[in-house]
Amino acid sequence: MQTFQNSFVVTPLEQFEILPLFKFFSISERFVFTNSSFFVFLVFFVIIGWFYFSILHQSTLFPNYWQNIVESIYLFILDMIQDTIGEDGYSYFPFIFVSFIFVLTCNLLGMIPYTFTVTSHIVITFSLGMATFIGINIVAFRQHGLHFFSFFFPKDAPLMLTPFLVLIELLSYVFRVLSLSIRLFANMMAGHTLLKILAGFAWTMLSAGGIFYILQFFPLAVVLALTGLEMGIAILQAYVWTVLVCIYLNDAIHLH
């Protein structure tokens, strides 16, 4: 009975709680290494280890399984750049490729039980989005200088409506940061929350015993199906993130 009651106490949002692991300075509360920081570093080590063992350490003339995955992703991102930006975007391939791999690894690593989904926090996705937005603006000013501001002036627009149209264009441009960050954060958080709720519901029915022991297999089956769906969403969100970055880069380079 105690287990049955405690199952309602645990909130599905508990999995997103940022917990301090240790402090860098005992007299300061500002430099705290959290579980979020740990998994960010873990993502970097996973990516470095994956590329090292699949390409640098065990690369062969005939690609092995892991090497084939890396090469497929490489060609996939290259084709995406060609389709959205053109040949002018090849110089930005390293940034786009690393962005895709980082977001994809964060999303997939968060699917492992008892791990932490880094991209389910708005502070992480907003930081990535803001850094990307600033970098794209640097590219735009380097390419066009002050002529970049012509991007906010609609062509052939009536002179009377120009101030309003410029304001709308400027707001929509600034909100690209939110478009990048909130889409990724909301999808990952919502999916993991739903899985937690259904898993908790199945565990509650299992703890209740009796006929609920049999009925709990129905929500459990839904959880398994949603887990597969969430895996697809994790990959899809990395793809959407990369496509948006390519589109924004194309606007910065070609002023379309």
Side-chain angles (χ1 to χ4, degrees), residues 37-51:
S37 305
F38 171 78
F39 278 98
V40 169
F41 279 100
L42 181 61
V43 166
F44 283 121
F45 283 119
V46 168
I47 294 174
I48 293 173
W50 175 26
F51 277 80

Side-chain angles (χ1 to χ4, degrees), residues 133 136-153 170 173 176 248-249 251-256:
F133 181 74
I136 289 174
N137 280 279
I138 292 175
V139 170
F141 278 106
R142 190 182 66 179
Q143 290 274 114
H144 307 285
L146 295 179
H147 182 65
F148 169 66
F149 290 106
S150 64
F151 180 77
F152 304 106
F153 289 86
L170 184 61
Y173 184 79
R176 289 182 173 187
Y248 298 159
L249 261 176
D251 290 340
I253 295 173
H254 300 121
L255 294 183
H256 288 173

Side-chain angles (χ1 to χ4, degrees), residues 3-198:
T3 305
F4 181 80
Q5 292 176 347
N6 289 340
S7 60
F8 288 98
V9 177
V10 180
T11 169
L13 299 180
E14 185 183 27
Q15 58 183 315
F16 307 115
E17 185 179 1
I18 296 180
L19 302 173
L21 299 181
F22 60 86
K23 302 175 184 177
F24 287 101
F25 303 101
S26 58
I27 61 175
S28 175
E29 295 287 342
R30 298 181 180 179
F31 301 97
V32 180
F33 193 81
T34 64
N35 54 345
S36 178
S37 305
F38 171 78
F39 278 98
V40 169
F41 279 100
L42 181 61
V43 166
F44 283 121
F45 283 119
V46 168
I47 294 174
I48 293 173
W50 175 26
F51 277 80
Y52 175 76
F53 286 104
S54 61
I55 296 180
L56 300 178
H57 183 65
Q58 296 181 347
S59 61
T60 58
L61 181 62
F62 298 98
N64 55 42
Y65 178 76
W66 295 107
Q67 185 180 349
N68 195 30
I69 292 178
V70 173
E71 292 179 0
S72 298
I73 296 176
Y74 179 94
L75 295 175
F76 173 73
I77 299 299
L78 199 64
D79 291 339
M80 183 188 302
I81 294 175
Q82 174 63 38
D83 294 338
T84 55
I85 305 176
E87 295 183 359
D88 294 334
Y90 288 158
S91 57
Y92 305 101
F93 172 83
F95 167 72
I96 298 173
F97 181 79
V98 171
S99 297
F100 176 79
I101 292 296
F102 178 77
V103 175
L104 179 65
T105 307
C106 287
N107 292 349
L108 293 180
L109 188 65
M111 294 299 301
I112 302 175
Y114 301 105
T115 59
F116 185 85
T117 310
V118 176
T119 48
S120 65
H121 278 268
I122 186 64
V123 65
I124 300 294
T125 57
F126 183 79
S127 299
L128 290 174
M130 180 59 73
T132 302
F133 181 74
I134 293 174
I136 289 174
N137 280 279
I138 292 175
V139 170
F141 278 106
R142 190 182 66 179
Q143 290 274 114
H144 307 285
L146 295 179
H147 182 65
F148 169 66
F149 290 106
S150 64
F151 180 77
F152 304 106
F153 289 86
K155 294 182 179 180
D156 302 325
L159 186 61
M160 295 292 294
L161 296 178
T162 298
F164 301 100
L165 295 177
V166 169
L167 180 61
I168 293 174
E169 289 289 336
L170 184 61
L171 288 175
S172 64
Y173 184 79
V174 172
F175 270 87
R176 289 182 173 187
V177 180
L178 299 179
S179 174
L180 277 174
S181 56
I182 293 180
R183 179 183 285 105
L184 178 59
F185 144 76
N187 278 279
M188 299 310 299
M189 186 176 185
H192 283 65
T193 302
L194 181 60
L195 284 176
K196 179 70 173 181
I197 292 173
L198 291 175

Side-chain angles (χ1 to χ4, degrees), residues 202 205-206 211-224:
M205 296 179 69
L206 178 64
I211 191 173
F212 293 104
Y213 184 82
I214 300 176
L215 294 178
Q216 62 92 20
F217 286 102
F218 292 101
L220 184 61
V222 175
V223 168
L224 294 177

